Amino acid sequence: MALVHPDARSWAEAHSAAGSVRLGMLEAMACQSYPEVVATFGDDGAAIAELIEDRAPSTARRALTGLGVVLVIAALIAPVAGVAVLGAESDLVQRMPADRSVPIAAVCFALAVVVLLVTGGAWVRGGARWSGMVCGVGAVFAVCGVFASISMPTVAGRDGYDLPATMQVPVWTTLALGLLLTAVTVLRFRVRDPEPPVTPDAPTTTGDRHVAELAARGIPDAERVAILADRDAALRVLAERGLLDETTLGRALAAPLGTLFALEVPTDAGPDSTR
């Protein structure tokens, strides 16, 4: 996967003046051709390396994903289709007789029942917290159930179709489950997802810096020189834009390739460090 910026200099030029500068991110952008090296550059480097190594899904996987999306959409519009097939009639669309429209609507609402059961089960397993989307699904399906429970007997009576109760059961079930799902989600309105904890940056050890520096030294010499030049050019761009002070710029320019992330957080002596 290619990153938005091909090098560190373009990243520095596009960096928002309102955002904080992450030196580890800058160096990761410079070394992005070597994700295994970037992964050693602290938390930012690990995150960037994961993005770089994220391969595009295979054709088969994309096809399965597309099929899954189509099936989900079809399932969600099933009750709407069921209502529409019972009452569709205009100058362009000929009314479907009850002996065809009622069975089709019954199948659509049977699928709607499955959707409601799956949605409700997933909502409960997920913690039964407030979800506007789940509540909306329940409400829409319930409304469709109301319309279909009225229109199905009406259409059957108009066409002289002997309406079996089994055809109405999916409609009644959709109505009941839709109302139930809407009610229980509304009752959980105050139960929200907890705020994710803010994890402070882990102290950087001398060992961390050493590992990253050794990894960067493994880059072929010619490429390492070009990467270092790109990194230093990016640092100077940030300084010219007022995003780095002269002291930090000097320390960053003097730092070996791969160790800029160590300048961002307090240094804590590791087990193999020397004082």
Side-chain angles (χ1 to χ4, degrees):
M1 176 178 180
L3 299 178
V4 174
H5 301 287
D7 51 40
R9 184 186 180 96
S10 62
W11 177 86
E13 291 171 345
H15 194 281
S16 171
S20 60
V21 174
R22 304 283 296 187
L23 296 179
M25 185 76 72
L26 181 151
E27 201 157 49
M29 299 301 294
C31 298
Q32 61 183 273
S33 298
Y34 295 89
E36 71 282 359
V37 174
V38 171
T40 66
F41 297 174
D43 293 338
D44 287 335
I48 292 296
E50 187 175 345
L51 287 176
I52 297 171
E53 293 177 335
D54 184 20
R55 302 295 181 217
S58 64
T59 301
R61 184 177 176 184
R62 289 198 300 269
L64 288 175
T65 301
L67 178 61
V69 171
V70 170
L71 291 176
V72 169
I73 293 174
L76 290 175
I77 66 174
V80 178
V83 172
V85 78
L86 289 171
E89 183 178 9
S90 69
D91 294 337
L92 300 177
V93 180
Q94 185 177 5
R95 180 177 63 81
M96 189 179 295
D99 60 351
R100 291 170 55 193
S101 62
V102 170
I104 292 174
V107 171
C108 289
F109 278 95
L111 180 57
V113 170
V114 175
V115 172
L116 286 171
L117 290 173
V118 171
T119 302
W123 177 71
V124 171
R125 288 196 304 271
R129 298 182 177 90
W130 161 252
S131 171
M133 183 176 67
V134 173
C135 183
V137 168
V140 170
F141 279 41
V143 170
C144 290
V146 170
F147 283 118
S149 64
I150 297 172
S151 59
M152 186 176 282
T154 301
V155 169
R158 179 189 59 199
D159 292 351
Y161 176 71
D162 186 14
L163 177 62
T166 53
M167 295 290 184
Q168 295 178 280
V169 169
V171 175
W172 297 333
T173 307
T174 298
L175 172 57
L177 290 178
L179 288 174
L180 177 62
L181 186 59
T182 303
V184 294
T185 51
V186 168
L187 290 175
R188 304 288 286 176
F189 182 76
R190 296 185 180 277
V191 182
R192 305 299 177 102
D193 290 326
E195 293 292 331
V198 178
T199 305
D201 290 327
T204 302
T205 67
T206 301
D208 294 334
R209 293 197 303 272
H210 184 62
V211 168
E213 185 177 353
L214 285 179
R217 286 180 185 175
I219 299 174
D221 291 344
E223 294 184 52
R224 184 152 47 87
V225 169
I227 288 172
L228 188 60
D230 176 45
R231 184 200 78 167
D232 292 350
L235 289 168
R236 292 188 176 94
V237 167
L238 292 176
E240 291 169 2
R241 296 181 60 202
L243 300 179
L244 279 185
D245 59 70
E246 289 299 324
T247 300
T248 303
L249 174 64
R251 292 175 60 204
L253 291 174
L257 183 65
T259 63
L260 287 190
F261 73 97
L263 302 180
E264 297 177 323
V265 294
T267 299
D268 183 31
D272 57 346
S273 65
T274 58
R275 293 182 181 274

